Coordinates of all heavy atoms in Angstrom, one line a residue:
M28 N -6.0 -19.8 5.6 CA -4.5 -19.7 5.7 C -4.0 -18.5 4.9 O -4.4 -18.3 3.8 CB -3.9 -21.1 5.2 CG -2.5 -21.2 5.3 SD -2.0 -22.8 4.7 CE -0.4 -22.5 4.3
T29 N -3.2 -17.8 5.6 CA -2.7 -16.6 5.0 C -1.5 -17.0 4.1 O -0.6 -17.6 4.5 CB -2.3 -15.5 6.0 OG1 -1.3 -16.0 6.9 CG2 -3.5 -15.1 6.7
G30 N -1.4 -16.4 3.0 CA -0.4 -16.6 2.1 C 0.5 -15.4 2.0 O 0.3 -14.4 2.6
Y31 N 1.5 -15.6 1.1 CA 2.5 -14.5 1.0 C 1.9 -13.2 0.5 O 2.2 -12.1 1.1 CB 3.5 -14.9 -0.1 CG 4.5 -13.8 -0.5 CD1 5.5 -13.4 0.3 CD2 4.3 -13.1 -1.7 CE1 6.4 -12.4 0.0 CE2 5.3 -12.1 -2.1 CZ 6.3 -11.8 -1.3 OH 7.1 -10.8 -1.6
Y32 N 0.9 -13.2 -0.4 CA 0.3 -12.1 -1.0 C -0.7 -11.4 0.1 O -0.8 -10.2 0.1 CB -0.3 -12.2 -2.3 CG 0.7 -12.7 -3.4 CD1 0.9 -14.0 -3.7 CD2 1.6 -11.6 -3.8 CE1 1.9 -14.3 -4.6 CE2 2.5 -11.9 -4.8 CZ 2.7 -13.2 -5.2 OH 3.7 -13.6 -6.0
D33 N -1.3 -12.1 1.0 CA -2.0 -11.6 2.0 C -1.2 -10.9 3.0 O -1.6 -9.7 3.4 CB -2.8 -12.7 2.6 CG -3.8 -13.5 1.8 OD1 -4.4 -12.9 1.0 OD2 -3.9 -14.7 2.0
I34 N 0.0 -11.4 3.2 CA 0.9 -10.7 4.1 C 1.4 -9.4 3.6 O 1.4 -8.3 4.2 CB 2.0 -11.6 4.5 CG1 1.5 -12.8 5.4 CG2 3.1 -10.8 5.4 CD1 2.5 -13.8 5.7
V35 N 1.7 -9.4 2.2 CA 2.2 -8.2 1.5 C 1.1 -7.1 1.5 O 1.4 -6.0 1.9 CB 2.6 -8.5 0.1 CG1 2.9 -7.3 -0.6 CG2 3.9 -9.3 0.2
L36 N -0.2 -7.5 1.3 CA -1.3 -6.5 1.3 C -1.4 -5.9 2.7 O -1.9 -4.8 2.8 CB -2.6 -7.2 0.8 CG -2.7 -7.5 -0.7 CD1 -3.9 -8.3 -1.0 CD2 -2.7 -6.2 -1.5
G37 N -1.2 -6.7 3.7 CA -1.3 -6.1 5.0 C -0.2 -5.3 5.4 O -0.4 -4.3 6.2
L38 N 1.0 -5.6 4.9 CA 2.2 -4.8 5.2 C 2.4 -3.4 4.5 O 3.0 -2.5 5.0 CB 3.4 -5.6 4.9 CG 3.8 -6.7 6.0 CD1 5.0 -7.4 5.6 CD2 3.9 -6.1 7.4
I39 N 1.6 -3.2 3.3 CA 1.7 -2.0 2.6 C 1.3 -0.9 3.5 O 2.0 0.2 3.6 CB 1.0 -2.2 1.2 CG1 1.8 -3.1 0.4 CG2 0.8 -0.8 0.7 CD1 0.9 -3.5 -0.9
P40 N 0.0 -0.8 4.1 CA -0.3 0.4 4.9 C 0.5 0.4 6.1 O 0.7 1.5 6.7 CB -1.8 0.1 5.2 CG -2.1 -1.3 4.9 CD -1.1 -1.8 3.8
V41 N 0.9 -0.7 6.7 CA 1.7 -0.8 8.0 C 3.0 0.0 7.7 O 3.4 0.8 8.5 CB 1.9 -2.2 8.4 CG1 2.9 -2.1 9.6 CG2 0.6 -2.8 8.9
A42 N 3.6 -0.4 6.5 CA 4.9 0.3 6.2 C 4.7 1.7 6.0 O 5.4 2.5 6.4 CB 5.5 -0.4 5.0
L43 N 3.6 2.1 5.2 CA 3.4 3.5 4.8 C 3.1 4.3 6.1 O 3.8 5.4 6.4 CB 2.4 3.6 3.8 CG 1.9 5.1 3.4 CD1 3.1 5.7 2.8 CD2 0.8 5.1 2.5
L44 N 2.2 3.9 6.9 CA 1.9 4.6 8.1 C 2.8 4.4 9.3 O 3.2 5.4 10.0 CB 0.4 4.2 8.5 CG -0.7 4.5 7.5 CD1 -2.0 4.0 8.1 CD2 -0.8 6.0 7.3
G45 N 3.3 3.3 9.4 CA 4.2 3.0 10.6 C 5.5 3.7 10.4 O 6.1 4.3 11.4
I46 N 6.2 3.5 9.3 CA 7.5 4.1 9.1 C 7.3 5.7 9.1 O 8.1 6.4 9.6 CB 8.1 3.7 7.8 CG1 8.5 2.2 8.0 CG2 9.2 4.5 7.4 CD1 8.9 1.6 6.7
T47 N 6.2 6.2 8.5 CA 6.1 7.7 8.6 C 5.9 8.2 10.0 O 6.4 9.2 10.4 CB 4.8 8.0 7.7 OG1 5.0 7.6 6.4 CG2 4.5 9.5 7.8
A48 N 5.1 7.4 10.8 CA 4.8 7.8 12.2 C 6.2 7.7 13.0 O 6.5 8.6 13.8 CB 3.8 7.0 12.8
A49 N 6.9 6.6 12.7 CA 8.2 6.3 13.5 C 9.2 7.5 13.1 O 9.8 7.9 14.1 CB 8.7 5.0 13.2
L50 N 9.3 7.8 11.9 CA 10.3 8.9 11.5 C 9.8 10.2 12.0 O 10.7 11.0 12.4 CB 10.5 8.8 10.0 CG 11.2 7.6 9.4 CD1 11.2 7.7 8.0 CD2 12.6 7.5 10.1
T51 N 8.5 10.5 12.0 CA 8.1 11.7 12.6 C 8.3 11.8 14.1 O 8.7 12.9 14.6 CB 6.6 11.9 12.3 OG1 6.4 11.7 10.9 CG2 6.0 13.2 12.8
F52 N 8.1 10.7 14.8 CA 8.3 10.6 16.2 C 9.8 10.9 16.5 O 10.2 11.4 17.5 CB 7.9 9.3 16.7 CG 8.0 9.2 18.2 CD1 7.2 9.8 19.1 CD2 9.0 8.4 18.8 CE1 7.4 9.7 20.5 CE2 9.1 8.1 20.1 CZ 8.3 8.8 21.0
V53 N 10.6 10.3 15.7 CA 12.1 10.6 15.9 C 12.6 12.0 15.8 O 13.5 12.4 16.4 CB 12.9 9.5 15.0 CG1 14.4 9.8 15.0 CG2 12.7 8.1 15.4
G54 N 11.9 12.6 14.9 CA 12.3 14.1 14.8 C 12.4 14.5 13.3 O 12.6 15.7 13.1
L55 N 12.2 13.7 12.4 CA 12.1 14.1 11.0 C 10.9 14.9 10.6 O 9.9 14.7 11.3 CB 12.3 12.9 10.0 CG 13.7 12.6 9.6 CD1 14.6 12.1 10.8 CD2 13.6 11.6 8.5
S56 N 11.0 15.7 9.7 CA 9.8 16.4 9.3 C 8.8 15.5 8.5 O 9.3 14.5 8.0 CB 10.1 17.7 8.4 OG 10.7 17.1 7.1
V57 N 7.6 15.9 8.6 CA 6.6 15.1 7.9 C 6.8 14.9 6.3 O 6.7 13.9 5.7 CB 5.2 15.7 8.1 CG1 4.2 14.8 7.3 CG2 4.9 15.5 9.6
T58 N 7.4 16.0 5.7 CA 7.6 16.1 4.3 C 8.9 15.2 3.9 O 9.0 14.8 2.8 CB 8.0 17.6 3.9 OG1 9.1 18.0 4.6 CG2 6.8 18.3 4.0
T59 N 9.7 14.8 5.0 CA 10.6 13.8 4.7 C 10.3 12.4 5.1 O 10.7 11.4 4.4 CB 11.9 14.1 5.6 OG1 12.3 15.5 5.2 CG2 13.1 13.2 5.3
A60 N 9.4 12.3 6.1 CA 9.0 10.9 6.6 C 8.0 10.3 5.6 O 8.0 9.0 5.4 CB 8.3 11.1 7.9
I61 N 7.1 11.0 5.1 CA 6.1 10.4 4.1 C 6.8 9.8 2.9 O 6.5 8.6 2.5 CB 5.1 11.5 3.6 CG1 4.2 11.7 4.9 CG2 4.3 11.0 2.5 CD1 3.1 12.8 4.7
P62 N 7.7 10.5 2.2 CA 8.3 9.7 1.0 C 9.1 8.5 1.5 O 9.3 7.5 0.8 CB 9.3 10.8 0.5 CG 8.7 12.1 0.9 CD 8.1 11.9 2.1
A63 N 9.7 8.5 2.7 CA 10.5 7.3 3.1 C 9.5 6.2 3.4 O 9.8 5.0 3.2 CB 11.2 7.7 4.4
G64 N 8.3 6.4 4.0 CA 7.3 5.4 4.2 C 6.8 4.9 2.9 O 6.5 3.7 2.7
A65 N 6.5 5.8 1.9 CA 6.1 5.5 0.6 C 7.1 4.6 -0.1 O 6.7 3.6 -0.8 CB 5.7 6.7 -0.2
F66 N 8.4 4.9 0.0 CA 9.4 4.1 -0.6 C 9.4 2.7 -0.1 O 9.5 1.7 -0.8 CB 10.8 4.8 -0.4 CG 11.9 3.9 -1.1 CD1 12.0 4.0 -2.5 CD2 12.7 3.2 -0.3 CE1 13.1 3.4 -3.1 CE2 13.8 2.5 -0.9 CZ 13.9 2.6 -2.2
A67 N 9.2 2.6 1.3 CA 9.2 1.1 1.9 C 8.0 0.4 1.3 O 8.1 -0.8 1.0 CB 9.2 1.3 3.4
A68 N 6.9 1.1 1.3 CA 5.8 0.4 0.7 C 5.9 0.0 -0.8 O 5.4 -1.0 -1.2 CB 4.5 1.2 0.9
M69 N 6.6 0.9 -1.6 CA 6.8 0.6 -2.9 C 7.8 -0.6 -3.1 O 7.6 -1.4 -4.0 CB 7.5 1.9 -3.6 CG 7.7 1.7 -5.1 SD 8.4 3.1 -5.8 CE 10.1 3.2 -5.1
V70 N 8.7 -0.8 -2.2 CA 9.6 -1.8 -2.3 C 8.9 -3.1 -2.0 O 9.2 -4.1 -2.6 CB 10.8 -1.6 -1.2 CG1 11.6 -3.0 -1.0 CG2 11.7 -0.6 -1.6
L71 N 7.9 -3.2 -1.0 CA 7.2 -4.3 -0.9 C 6.3 -4.7 -2.1 O 6.2 -5.9 -2.4 CB 6.2 -4.1 0.4 CG 6.7 -4.1 1.8 CD1 5.8 -3.6 2.8 CD2 7.2 -5.5 2.1
M72 N 5.7 -3.7 -2.7 CA 4.9 -3.9 -3.8 C 5.8 -4.5 -5.0 O 5.4 -5.4 -5.8 CB 4.1 -2.8 -4.3 CG 3.0 -2.4 -3.4 SD 2.0 -1.0 -3.9 CE 3.1 0.3 -3.5
G73 N 6.9 -3.9 -5.2 CA 7.9 -4.2 -6.3 C 8.4 -5.7 -6.0 O 8.6 -6.5 -7.0
H74 N 8.7 -6.1 -4.8 CA 9.1 -7.4 -4.5 C 7.9 -8.4 -4.9 O 8.2 -9.5 -5.4 CB 9.5 -7.6 -3.0 CG 10.2 -8.8 -2.7 ND1 9.4 -9.9 -2.3 CD2 11.4 -9.3 -2.8 CE1 10.2 -10.9 -2.1 NE2 11.5 -10.6 -2.4
A75 N 6.8 -8.1 -4.5 CA 5.6 -8.9 -4.7 C 5.4 -9.1 -6.2 O 4.9 -10.3 -6.7 CB 4.4 -8.5 -4.0
M76 N 5.6 -8.1 -7.0 CA 5.3 -8.1 -8.5 C 6.4 -8.7 -9.3 O 6.1 -9.4 -10.3 CB 4.8 -6.8 -8.9 CG 3.5 -6.3 -8.4 SD 3.0 -4.8 -9.2 CE 4.4 -3.7 -9.1
F77 N 7.6 -8.4 -9.0 CA 8.7 -8.7 -9.9 C 9.7 -9.7 -9.3 O 10.2 -10.5 -10.1 CB 9.5 -7.4 -10.2 CG 8.6 -6.4 -10.9 CD1 8.4 -5.2 -10.2 CD2 8.1 -6.7 -12.2 CE1 7.5 -4.3 -10.9 CE2 7.3 -5.7 -12.8 CZ 7.0 -4.5 -12.2
V78 N 9.9 -9.9 -8.0 CA 10.9 -10.8 -7.5 C 10.1 -12.2 -7.2 O 10.6 -13.2 -7.7 CB 11.5 -10.3 -6.3 CG1 12.5 -11.3 -5.6 CG2 12.3 -9.0 -6.6
N79 N 9.0 -12.1 -6.5 CA 8.2 -13.3 -6.1 C 6.9 -13.3 -6.9 O 5.9 -13.0 -6.3 CB 8.0 -13.3 -4.6 CG 7.5 -14.7 -4.2 OD1 7.4 -15.6 -4.9 ND2 7.1 -14.7 -2.9
T80 N 7.1 -13.4 -8.2 CA 5.9 -13.3 -9.1 C 4.8 -14.3 -8.8 O 5.2 -15.4 -8.6 CB 6.3 -13.4 -10.6 OG1 7.0 -14.6 -10.8 CG2 7.3 -12.2 -10.9
P81 N 3.6 -14.0 -9.0 CA 2.5 -15.0 -9.0 C 2.5 -15.8 -10.1 O 2.6 -15.3 -11.3 CB 1.3 -14.1 -8.8 CG 1.6 -12.8 -9.4 CD 3.0 -12.6 -9.2
V82 N 2.5 -17.1 -10.1 CA 2.5 -18.0 -11.1 C 1.3 -18.8 -11.1 O 0.8 -19.3 -10.0 CB 3.8 -18.9 -11.2 CG1 5.0 -18.0 -11.5 CG2 4.0 -19.5 -10.0
D83 N 0.9 -19.5 -12.2 CA -0.2 -20.5 -12.2 C 0.3 -21.8 -11.6 O 1.5 -22.1 -11.8 CB -0.7 -20.8 -13.7 CG -1.4 -19.5 -14.3 OD1 -1.9 -18.7 -13.5 OD2 -1.4 -19.4 -15.5
S84 N -0.6 -22.6 -11.2 CA -0.1 -23.9 -10.6 C 0.3 -24.8 -11.7 O -0.1 -24.7 -12.8 CB -1.3 -24.4 -9.8 OG -2.3 -24.9 -10.7
T85 N 1.2 -25.7 -11.5 CA 1.7 -26.5 -12.5 C 0.8 -27.7 -12.8 O 0.9 -28.3 -13.9 CB 3.1 -27.2 -11.9 OG1 2.8 -27.9 -10.8 CG2 4.2 -26.2 -11.7
E86 N -0.3 -27.8 -12.1 CA -1.2 -28.8 -12.4 C -1.9 -28.5 -13.6 O -2.3 -29.3 -14.5 CB -2.2 -29.0 -11.2 CG -1.5 -29.6 -10.0 CD -2.6 -29.6 -8.9 OE1 -3.8 -29.6 -9.1 OE2 -2.2 -29.8 -7.7
D87 N -2.2 -27.2 -13.9 CA -3.0 -26.7 -15.0 C -2.2 -26.8 -16.3 O -2.6 -27.1 -17.3 CB -3.4 -25.2 -14.9 CG -4.4 -25.0 -13.7 OD1 -5.1 -26.0 -13.4 OD2 -4.5 -23.9 -13.1
V88 N -0.9 -26.7 -16.1 CA 0.0 -26.7 -17.2 C 0.2 -28.2 -17.7 O 0.3 -28.4 -18.9 CB 1.4 -26.0 -17.0 CG1 2.3 -26.1 -18.1 CG2 1.1 -24.5 -16.6
Q89 N 0.4 -29.1 -16.8 CA 0.7 -30.5 -17.2 C -0.5 -31.3 -17.4 O -0.4 -32.5 -17.8 CB 1.5 -31.0 -16.0 CG 2.9 -30.4 -16.0 CD 3.7 -30.9 -14.8 OE1 3.2 -31.7 -13.9 NE2 5.0 -30.6 -14.7
S90 N -1.7 -31.0 -17.1 CA -2.8 -31.8 -17.4 C -3.1 -32.0 -18.8 O -3.0 -31.1 -19.7 CB -4.0 -31.2 -16.6 OG -4.4 -30.0 -17.3
T91 N -3.5 -33.1 -19.1 CA -3.9 -33.5 -20.5 C -5.4 -33.2 -20.8 O -6.2 -33.3 -19.9 CB -3.7 -35.0 -20.8 OG1 -4.5 -35.8 -19.9 CG2 -2.2 -35.3 -20.6
P92 N -5.6 -32.6 -21.9 CA -7.1 -32.4 -22.3 C -7.9 -33.6 -22.4 O -7.4 -34.6 -22.8 CB -7.0 -31.5 -23.6 CG -5.6 -32.0 -24.2 CD -4.7 -32.3 -23.1
Q93 N -9.2 -33.5 -22.0 CA -10.1 -34.6 -22.2 C -10.4 -34.8 -23.6 O -10.7 -33.8 -24.4 CB -11.3 -34.4 -21.3 CG -10.9 -34.2 -19.7 CD -10.4 -35.5 -19.2 OE1 -10.8 -36.6 -19.7 NE2 -9.6 -35.5 -18.2
P94 N -10.6 -36.0 -24.1 CA -11.0 -36.2 -25.4 C -12.5 -35.8 -25.6 O -13.4 -36.0 -24.7 CB -10.9 -37.7 -25.7 CG -10.9 -38.3 -24.3 CD -10.3 -37.3 -23.4
L95 N -12.8 -35.3 -26.8 CA -14.1 -34.9 -27.1 C -15.1 -36.1 -27.5 O -14.5 -36.9 -28.3 CB -14.1 -33.9 -28.2 CG -13.4 -32.6 -27.9 CD1 -13.4 -31.7 -29.1 CD2 -14.2 -31.8 -26.8
N96 N -16.2 -36.1 -27.0 CA -17.2 -37.2 -27.5 C -17.7 -36.8 -28.9 O -18.1 -35.8 -29.2 CB -18.4 -37.2 -26.6 CG -17.9 -37.8 -25.2 OD1 -16.8 -38.5 -25.1 ND2 -18.6 -37.5 -24.1
A97 N -17.7 -37.9 -29.7 CA -18.2 -37.8 -31.1 C -19.7 -37.9 -31.2 O -20.3 -37.7 -32.2 CB -17.6 -38.7 -32.0
D98 N -20.3 -38.2 -30.1 CA -21.7 -38.4 -30.0 C -22.6 -37.2 -30.0 O -22.5 -36.3 -29.5 CB -22.2 -39.3 -28.9 CG -21.7 -40.7 -29.0 OD1 -21.4 -41.1 -30.2 OD2 -21.4 -41.4 -28.0

């Protein structure tokens, strides 16, 4: 099952190459299209790292530790 971060990892090269190719096809120069594609990829990475942050599952935080055996 693909999760959010799998989709983000797939979209990073798609954004970089796809937006660059689309802007070049429209008529922008390559030196303008590459930073635009890189900015889109950077926005995806920033969203994944800072807006939708990866967190530990709540099961680990709320579980009680097992008692130690004295034997």
Side-chain angles (χ1 to χ4, degrees):
M28 183 172 156
T29 57
Y31 171 75
Y32 294 102
D33 297 325
I34 294 170
V35 168
L36 285 174
L38 284 178
I39 291 170
V41 170
L43 180 61
L44 298 174
I46 292 174
T47 301
L50 291 176
T51 304
F52 181 73
V53 170
L55 266 67
S56 66
V57 176
T58 57
T59 305
I61 289 175
F66 181 75
M69 183 181 65
V70 167
L71 284 169
M72 290 185 282
H74 188 271
M76 291 191 308
F77 299 113
V78 176
N79 194 5
T80 59
V82 293
D83 292 332
S84 65
T85 57
E86 295 175 17
D87 295 339
V88 176
Q89 295 177 352
S90 65
T91 58
Q93 299 293 328
L95 297 174
N96 291 336
D98 297 331

